[in-house]
Amino acid sequence: MADVLPLVEARLCGALGEPDARAAVTFLGTDRIEVLRFTEGDLVRYATLGMSGRPMADPTAVLVDPVEGPRAELVLSLRRGTGADTGKVLRPLAVLAASPQVEGVVVAPGASLDVGEPLWPGAPFSSVLVAESGGLVEDLELDAPAGPVRFLPLLPMTPNEAAWKRVHGAQALQERWLTQGTDLRDPARASVSLA
């Protein structure tokens, strides 16, 4: 279903405007993953394109259905003008988007994804929390039996937040961020108080 990707790109552009940059990464044995950059005012958004070309499959499944199954793309929103070199997040984002093909994971809301190194040079984050879709970019319905493409926001987590989330859960961490007024788009923010 390679024809899914033009529909996905059209949905991204309809919600975020025209991308002002794009980069492509291909990992051995995987489909090409592009990362599109959209800028609006003091925000920059990075969205993957290519992850939804195939449905994600349960790694324990004996047979993988080429049509049915969850599909997703990832969206990361950051504030510009902080001095952080967030442009280098393209490769880590492509790595995360390739993880369903490489590692057989199903990326879903509430999951933690870790790249094992800072998301960009000097970033206090090496992992992200996958949030619920449907806010910034509406889900893209596909013809049955294919499931919809979900555009999943990524929320950067500090190592302390990621450890706390493993114990208390995604919902508890999101409530902690909310009650403390955490700016999750700040690429240089400190860890939220977890005491």
Side-chain angles (χ1 to χ4, degrees):
M1 286 196 60
D3 57 339
V4 167
L5 298 183
L7 300 173
V8 170
E9 184 169 1
R11 176 59 54 96
L12 284 167
C13 292
L16 305 175
E18 286 300 313
D20 60 3
R22 65 173 62 213
V25 180
T26 305
F27 302 100
L28 188 62
T30 67
D31 296 331
R32 170 183 158 124
I33 302 285
E34 285 190 86
V35 180
L36 311 181
R37 184 181 73 190
F38 302 87
T39 51
E40 178 188 345
D42 70 338
L43 290 180
V44 59
R45 301 185 199 280
Y46 299 94
T48 63
L49 178 63
M51 182 177 169
S52 62
R54 307 177 191 207
M56 294 179 277
D58 182 336
T60 62
V62 177
L63 293 173
V64 176
D65 190 306
V67 177
E68 289 188 60
R71 294 174 189 259
E73 296 291 353
L74 308 175
V75 180
L76 175 66
S77 298
L78 297 170
R79 200 164 301 292
R80 297 186 328 158
T82 61
D85 189 8
T86 59
K88 299 278 190 340
V89 77
L90 300 176
R91 184 167 177 78
L93 266 182
V95 167
L96 295 177
S99 62
Q101 290 182 56
V102 175
E103 299 170 26
V105 298
V106 175
V107 178
S112 299
L113 303 174
D114 196 316
V115 294
E117 61 185 29
L119 290 173
W120 56 85
F125 320 103
S126 63
S127 62
V128 293
L129 175 65
V130 181
E132 291 286 343
S133 67
L136 185 62
V137 183
E138 258 185 66
D139 294 347
L140 173 63
E141 296 295 330
L142 300 176
D143 293 337
V149 176
R150 304 199 185 285
F151 298 89
L152 302 171
L154 300 180
L155 310 175
M157 294 187 291
T158 66
N160 285 346
E161 291 168 341
W164 197 85
K165 181 254 175 195
R166 280 192 293 276
V167 174
H168 299 280
Q171 185 64 38
L173 178 59
Q174 288 180 301
E175 287 171 10
R176 182 75 50 138
W177 282 334
L178 189 61
T179 58
Q180 296 186 27
T182 306
D183 181 2
L184 296 172
R185 297 173 178 168
D186 181 354
R189 75 172 177 83
S191 184
V192 71
S193 172
L194 300 169

